[in-house]
Amino acid sequence: MATPTASKHAPTQVVATPPVSTPFSASNHHPAFSPHGPRSVVPSPQQFKKSPANSNTLYGYPSGSGGGHPTTSSFGGYDSPSAALALGGVPGLAELGLDGMSAPGMGGLGGPGRGDEDDRKRRLQQVLEILKTNKGRLSEAGIERLARRVGLDCVWEDHMGSGGSTRTLIIAGSALALDIDFSNNVVKKVSLSFPESAEIVTRHTQKAGDILLRDLQFGPNESPLTKMLDRFAANLERLATLDKLSVIPGLNCHEAIAGIYESLERLHKWEVARLKEQDNMADKDDEYIGRTAMCKRSGKPIMHTRDRLGLSIDYWQERHQIKSKSLSRDKEKTWALLIECASLPALVYTPIRVSEKWISPEILKADPAAEDLLLTAEDGPVLDWLQPENTMLPSTEPPKADAMEGIDQASGQKFPEVMFIAKFDPPLIVPYGVAMQIYGSVNAPLDMYQTSTFDGLMFPPGPEDKSEPGEARMIKQQTTVSVFDENGEKSTKIHKNTLFIDKIDYGRTLTELPFSHPRQLVEMLPRLRQYAFLSTLLRNSFNPEKAIPEEEKKSPGKTKMDKFAEFMSPASAEEISTLPLDVSLTTQPLSLKLVFPFKDRTANVRFDINLNGAVDVKEQNLLDEDAMDDGKRLTVADLGRMLEIAEDLGIWAEFVRRRLG
């Protein structure tokens, strides 16, 4: 075997010489994997693995660059891919952030240290988080993969029948079972069950199964290549989360949420019955009375609604006061609190309790104390809320001296490491002071370092917004308003709306909130409705997505003579019919001041938006209160009532101009 020697005129260089027994050693033979090589003789994988790759070849093929210079090698100047990988020299890995994958102990030869490994793990974790957002497409393998990803077990069963072969995917957890029947990769049936659960849980399984079936059915213009599993994945993840948090036997999170529904449903039915006894509800149908109880009383609990599994407490709906059979209530925007469970981070929050007796069967407290009367809203009933017993689990840990660790020293049991949470759907924007009150009512800490203005959250500034954060803002929007005359003929009016925000206030977006008792949620609903109505009113009058900048864009290319000609020309019919509306927003107290042309003067009206979205007119110069002796004339209360129904400042202004003009 040749021995490397040093040249007299060149620096010493070590050259690796391949063994004689390898197919690369013979110069008169073609490479073993070359198309020109012998096809009957192929080296074994062991022989090929032991043979070092020449710097001029890649698995027997030329590298493409030719020559034997190390810098032109396919492995970045290394004799073999293993050496290149060990020394971190494989091209392309640097772009992926995965270079330097050396063997242990190679850190001194260019391998990464501990910090590089942590950074690479962090990048890989980021890639996995991105991949988690893709739930996959509808197929047998896709649903099974999704179920295993959320931590549920899967078993397949094959069936033969007159209609052909079918397969059933059984998805099981500790407290649930989901059967999905397939026929040629098409979902035919979905069955959801909760073994060993109470009747308050199992009575809602059919409704939940129908939602899951709709999630897995092909809609119009959908195919296995386009049907995604996003909706089904969201519902399955909710089921899996409750299943993981459950400790069977002892704690069933499905039963805990169903218990809250039972208590609030009794309260809702009682409130509906009381509304029917009122004189102003004598001519109203049951649907209208139910919406009134939802938007003025304690909300409406619903299990499995709007294609979403779980408990929803609806507390506000757009146009809920309009009595029209042509309206589709399912399409109207609804505000709700979604009741779920989450892991208990610490004993700062009250652990979950499983009960359906959160309120007494009589609903009203027979003998309310003075404290109860003070905490109850004006003219409101004193509800008889109950405090269920704590739910305890057997503790497998040794006794601890500190009772705050969740261990009951007397019984040797522990509190569940689970709590209730309410998610705002949609998220609700409120001033910072209101957010502090809401968080304080559930004894939850509020992050004081998140500073955003209320108007900045309600109307996010666009790229053309020139105002600085914290400065007064002016938002303009041109809208088209439908107007009906006395004969019912429809026409349109153009409004140029301007919103002035002079006094800046900080705000917060409510997304989720821990709670321990449904009473806490019911008591905050009047305040939530106040800002749900405000957001509806501002969105209808000033669409944030279509808001124009404060300074109107000037038409380019116009000369002074063109501008003078426009000034001297008579106004067009469109300009004459355009109505300017100026609105000023104040958050403390929550009020809107509206100014617009009316008859031969300027109308000036101030609305206060109170709890439950009630509108009170504090200032106005439209009506002469001293001359209101005719019962057919509008009153100040009618002006506020009309804004509650219209939910649009432009529609309200046109109503007043037609009625009082």
Side-chain angles (χ1 to χ4, degrees), residues 380-499:
V382 180
L383 303 179
D384 189 14
W385 295 104
L386 304 178
Q387 289 293 340
E389 296 182 357
N390 293 327
T391 299
M392 305 297 294
L393 299 176
S395 175
T396 57
E397 302 178 4
K400 298 180 180 179
D402 189 1
M404 294 301 293
E405 294 293 333
I407 305 297
D408 188 353
Q409 301 298 321
S411 62
Q413 296 179 321
K414 68 175 183 178
F415 292 102
E417 297 180 358
V418 185
M419 65 179 180
F420 288 120
I421 60 170
K423 295 185 177 180
F424 293 81
D425 182 33
L428 188 64
I429 301 173
V430 299
Y432 187 81
V434 176
M436 291 184 63
Q437 295 177 6
I438 293 176
Y439 273 75
S441 64
V442 295
N443 298 321
L446 179 63
D447 187 2
M448 301 178 60
Y449 297 98
Q450 295 183 9
T451 56
S452 300
T453 60
F454 180 80
D455 62 283
L457 296 173
M458 190 71 69
F459 298 95
E464 299 181 354
D465 197 335
K466 305 301 182 182
S467 60
E468 296 292 334
E471 293 183 352
R473 294 182 64 190
M474 181 172 61
I475 300 172
K476 293 185 177 182
Q477 174 63 33
Q478 181 169 301
T479 61
T480 302
V481 180
S482 300
V483 181
F484 295 88
D485 57 15
E486 297 179 356
N487 300 324
E489 297 294 333
K490 180 181 179 181
S491 60
T492 58
K493 297 284 186 178
I494 298 177
H495 289 187
K496 289 186 176 180
N497 303 335
T498 305
L499 178 63

Side-chain angles (χ1 to χ4, degrees), residues 229-241:
L229 291 174
D230 293 353
R231 286 197 315 173
F232 176 77
N235 286 321
L236 187 63
E237 287 174 358
R238 295 186 187 100
L239 292 175
T241 299

Side-chain angles (χ1 to χ4, degrees), residues 650-661:
I651 295 178
W652 182 89
E654 291 296 338
F655 168 80
V656 170
R657 284 162 55 87
R658 180 180 65 83
R659 182 71 181 270
L660 302 178

Side-chain angles (χ1 to χ4, degrees), residues 122 153 167 170 183-184 242 315 324 379 451 551 583 609:
R122 179 182 58 83
D153 298 327
R167 302 187 70 195
I170 303 175
S183 178
N184 297 325
L242 296 180
Y315 65 89
S324 177
D379 298 331
T451 56
E551 299 181 357
V583 184
I609 302 177

Side-chain angles (χ1 to χ4, degrees), residues 510-521:
L510 301 178
T511 56
E512 65 179 37
L513 198 67
F515 72 97
S516 59
H517 198 291
R519 175 181 183 175
Q520 298 170 324
L521 303 181

Side-chain angles (χ1 to χ4, degrees), residues 2 45 69 91 95 108-109 132 138 169 185 190 219 255 292 315 337 339 354 358 407 441 444 499 520 557 630 636:
H69 197 277
E95 291 79 359
L109 297 177
K132 285 182 180 180
L138 177 57
L169 175 61
N185 274 302
V190 174
E255 185 177 351
T292 303
Y315 65 89
L337 295 175
I339 309 303
V354 181
W358 296 95
I407 305 297
S441 64
L499 178 63
Q520 298 170 324
D630 189 355
V636 176

